[in-house]
Amino acid sequence: MSASTDRSPQREVHCADAISWMQARGRMAGACAVTSLPDVSEVGLALPAWREWFLAAVQLVVAAVPDDSAAIFFQSDIKRDGCWIDKGALVMSAAEAAGARVLFHKLICRRPPGTLTLGRPGYTHLIAVSRTLRCPDVLPIPDIITDAGRQPWVRAMGVRAAAHAVRFARDQAGAKIIFDPFCGVGTVLAVANRLGLDALGVEKAKKRCEQSRQLVVTPGEV
């Protein structure tokens, strides 16, 4: 599956466990990963087991794309038993173990700056990693993204925020396919199609899988 100028961008969604699916599929030519890994509350594991699952999942996502492409992660920190768990740090640690380096690290505001969030993060990490790709000195992505855009789902990353990642994948990594192994309701997939790229998603929940096949974003949203 690859994008071309003489047809509409394609979208393919698999209803499956992302870990098993990635292990079976292996590396995908022309792909750039843009994804958000599930929180501990979504995977049904105790915190220590989730942490090991998370680290292994990041490494699988990095391994799914070519060396000269990138894996881009949206991750919000979590608070458990009075302590913060820095998921951005977990992404960077796992990526380094997979032989990748950080291309950029941005922050997305989930609440207006200065808002007291009472234990819920008002920000999301946006982190891109790659084995060999180099990030240009001038990158058209602000360090602090204050408008994440419409969130089609409570856990969605926001349409405008997703567009920053997809444009980087298209313009800097030369991606033809955007891969989201934890695609939820399909925000990344819909943005990728709107920006002219094919999209490949994996989602375990049947309802969200169907939603991810149908979601559409408008030109003004990206």
Side-chain angles (χ1 to χ4, degrees):
M1 184 173 74
S2 62
S4 67
T5 57
D6 58 354
R7 64 170 175 80
S8 299
Q10 304 297 297
R11 187 183 311 183
E12 182 180 319
V13 181
H14 296 265
C15 191
D17 174 74
I19 301 300
S20 300
W21 193 93
M22 286 189 287
Q23 289 172 333
R25 177 65 181 261
R27 189 169 297 184
M28 291 172 279
C32 180
V34 179
T35 195
S36 178
L37 274 64
D39 196 356
V40 61
S41 62
E42 298 177 82
V43 295
L45 296 173
L47 190 59
W50 168 83
R51 185 181 185 278
E52 295 307 311
W53 177 91
F54 187 96
L55 293 169
V58 169
Q59 293 187 51
L60 273 175
V61 175
V62 172
V65 300
D67 287 351
D68 59 352
S69 188
I72 305 173
F73 298 88
F74 290 77
Q75 300 297 160
S76 298
D77 295 342
I78 55 175
K79 192 176 186 180
R80 290 291 183 275
D81 300 325
C83 297
W84 282 100
I85 298 171
D86 187 338
K87 287 200 280 185
L90 291 180
V91 165
M92 290 186 279
S93 175
E96 182 178 0
R101 59 174 180 265
V102 176
L103 299 178
F104 64 75
H105 182 187
K106 311 292 185 179
L107 291 178
I108 303 164
C109 292
R110 298 182 66 86
R111 300 289 186 274
T115 301
L116 295 178
T117 55
L118 303 177
R120 291 181 177 271
Y123 59 88
T124 295
H125 301 278
L126 173 59
I127 300 171
V129 303
S130 176
R131 290 188 181 91
T132 65
L133 184 67
R134 293 188 176 276
C135 190
D137 292 335
V138 179
L139 187 65
I141 303 176
D143 289 338
I144 307 296
I145 299 168
T146 57
D147 180 11
R150 176 169 67 94
Q151 292 179 256
W153 182 44
V154 66
R155 295 184 182 273
M157 59 191 67
V159 171
R160 291 190 187 279
H164 282 297
V166 171
R167 285 193 177 94
F168 177 87
R170 182 191 65 189
D171 300 339
Q172 306 298 332
K176 304 301 182 186
I177 304 168
I178 298 299
F179 171 54
D180 185 352
F182 303 95
C183 67
V185 300
T187 305
V188 167
L189 310 184
V191 169
N193 286 168
R194 176 57 63 186
L195 293 176
L197 298 179
D198 284 348
L200 173 61
V202 180
E203 172 54 47
K204 192 172 184 178
K206 291 182 179 180
K207 181 178 179 180
R208 291 198 293 268
C209 197
E210 287 303 317
Q211 291 171 317
S212 70
R213 294 188 176 107
Q214 302 299 323
L215 183 66
V216 175
V217 299
T218 65
E221 291 185 291
V222 298

